[in-house]
Amino acid sequence: MEDKKKDVKEKKEGGFSEWFSGIMGEFKRITWPDRKTLVKMVVTVIITSGIFGGVIVLYDFALTAGYNALYSFINQL
């Protein structure tokens, strides 16, 4: 029981400064991509987003046209 209390106290002693220094240490270990790789990844994300956005727009137009056609057909009855 006392061991658990000691663990909790040890975790609280560091506080914000220890947490922040840990974060900064993690940032130093990150391998950042070079400019050429970053540009390729950004262009890939933009093109992929555009393609998926276009597919969603096409589905939306098709569903809207189908809904309107069905609605006008039912109103004619």
Side-chain angles (χ1 to χ4, degrees):
M1 195 68 142
E2 290 181 26
D3 291 335
K4 288 183 181 181
K5 289 181 182 179
K6 287 181 183 178
D7 289 342
V8 171
K9 285 183 182 179
E10 288 176 5
K11 288 180 184 178
K12 288 184 179 180
E13 286 177 4
F16 180 76
S17 61
E18 187 174 323
W19 172 80
F20 191 74
S21 65
I23 295 293
M24 294 308 293
E26 289 295 324
F27 268 107
K28 290 178 183 176
R29 288 188 226 161
I30 295 174
T31 305
W32 298 100
D34 60 344
R35 186 176 182 90
K36 186 177 178 181
T37 305
L38 183 64
V39 169
K40 284 182 181 180
M41 287 191 282
V42 168
V43 169
T44 302
V45 168
I46 291 172
I47 290 172
T48 304
S49 299
I51 290 170
F52 280 115
V55 169
I56 291 171
V57 167
L58 290 175
Y59 278 133
D60 182 49
F61 283 147
L63 290 173
T64 302
Y67 173 77
N68 288 338
L70 183 62
Y71 185 75
S72 64
F73 176 73
I74 291 174
N75 278 339
Q76 289 178 0
L77 294 178

